[in-house]
Amino acid sequence: MNLLLLHDADFLPDGTVQMTGRRAQHAREVLRAEPGETLRVGQVGGLVGTGEVLENAPGLLRLRVTLTDPPPPRPGVDLVLAIPRPKALKRVLPAAAQLGVDRVVLVNAARVEKSYFDSKVLDAAFLGELLLQGLEQARDTRLPEVLLRERFRPFVEDELDALFGPQALRLLPHPPALQPLTRVGVQEAPRVVLAVGPDGGWVPFEADLLARHGFHPFSLGPRILRVETAVPVLLGQVALLREDSAGGR
């Protein structure tokens, strides 16, 4: 936990912050923070800064906070993700939050098991905790928006354009494609949307439908990656290409 995230409900009328549970336990047992010491803190959706420890008792942490700095800049990336196995999703969601994804749309697909929709991972509270863990690691404060869509074709045909707009570059990592990511214009795009299929990939109908709606197929190379590996690799490559382009302008 590289950042203690503060919620509105943590703030007391006198302006100090009081927290219990996992965060207080971490501050006491891992950070071993003593009164007078400072910790890195950030308000969910807001600024980051420091918190002076006023009290660190078993199960209770009280801080005087100063929030002065913006969180890390966003890479301008959204993710359309065919719902992977629940164990994989528990890894992918914190990674997406760590890497600054703005929006994650979890969609159904032909190779998605119906039972995945009943997983506790998709429970709002559980899902939110996974995202918060990612923010804590990255010292970020802005939660990705997460949407769940159980019907693939209606989402692509009826919602996708309005959701992402015409300016975003739509990318489809798809093994049959040959061109690398460096040749699909990532460097010039104001925003990027990645459509990542399930283990086994998108079926031809799904890949064709995405392509007809502006998604450019590209190759990640000769190795076939599991979803929990492919998503961080893709997000890292996109961010690096965009940073290199911005630095060269």
Side-chain angles (χ1 to χ4, degrees):
M1 189 184 295
N2 295 319
L3 187 75
L4 285 175
L5 283 171
L6 313 176
H7 303 272
D8 291 344
D10 297 327
F11 286 82
L12 300 177
D14 64 1
T16 63
V17 165
Q18 180 173 297
M19 62 185 71
T20 59
R22 179 177 65 89
R23 295 169 297 165
Q25 182 179 5
H26 182 84
R28 183 172 179 82
E29 298 180 2
V30 179
L31 302 179
R32 301 185 183 277
E34 299 290 340
E37 295 181 353
T38 58
L39 304 174
R40 288 186 294 265
V41 300
Q43 186 170 6
V44 174
L47 300 174
V48 298
T50 58
E52 179 189 355
V53 178
L54 302 177
E55 181 181 0
N56 192 3
L60 185 145
L61 175 68
R62 193 161 64 90
L63 306 171
R64 179 183 294 111
V65 301
T66 303
L67 303 171
T68 56
D69 301 318
R74 315 294 286 177
V77 178
D78 297 313
L79 180 64
V80 175
L81 178 66
I83 299 178
R85 295 168 295 113
K87 287 185 178 180
L89 187 57
K90 286 164 65 175
R91 300 185 184 102
V92 170
L93 288 175
Q98 286 178 49
L99 293 167
V101 172
D102 289 309
R103 182 185 290 119
V104 181
V105 184
L106 300 171
V107 299
N108 200 359
R111 292 185 173 130
V112 170
E113 297 288 341
K114 292 182 179 180
S115 62
Y116 293 175
F117 285 92
D118 298 322
S119 169
K120 70 174 183 179
V121 181
L122 295 179
D123 177 77
F126 192 97
L127 187 150
E129 187 63 26
L130 291 174
L131 297 174
L132 288 172
Q133 291 173 18
L135 295 185
E136 291 168 349
Q137 177 65 34
R139 298 185 189 174
D140 197 356
T141 64
R142 289 167 292 189
L143 284 164
E145 179 186 13
V146 178
L147 305 174
L148 181 64
R149 296 294 182 265
E150 296 190 34
R151 300 175 65 199
F152 175 80
R153 183 171 181 172
F155 165 71
V156 174
E157 293 183 338
D158 301 334
E159 290 189 69
L160 191 145
D161 288 341
L163 194 61
F164 298 115
Q167 300 301 318
L169 176 65
R170 302 176 184 186
L171 298 178
L172 178 64
H174 196 49
L178 297 177
Q179 67 176 342
L181 183 59
T182 53
R183 297 185 181 177
V184 291
V186 174
Q187 295 89 332
E188 296 80 23
R191 290 197 64 80
V192 170
V193 183
L194 284 163
V196 180
D199 288 334
W202 303 107
V203 299
F205 164 77
E206 293 164 344
D208 290 345
L209 186 63
L210 288 167
R212 291 200 303 271
H213 284 78
F215 280 83
H216 302 275
F218 69 94
S219 172
L220 266 178
R223 299 179 185 273
I224 303 301
L225 306 179
R226 284 190 176 275
V227 171
E228 59 263 44
T229 303
V231 169
V233 168
L234 285 163
L235 294 173
Q237 289 186 355
V238 168
L240 181 60
L241 287 171
R242 289 163 66 80
E243 287 173 6
D244 284 348
S245 176
R249 288 199 288 267

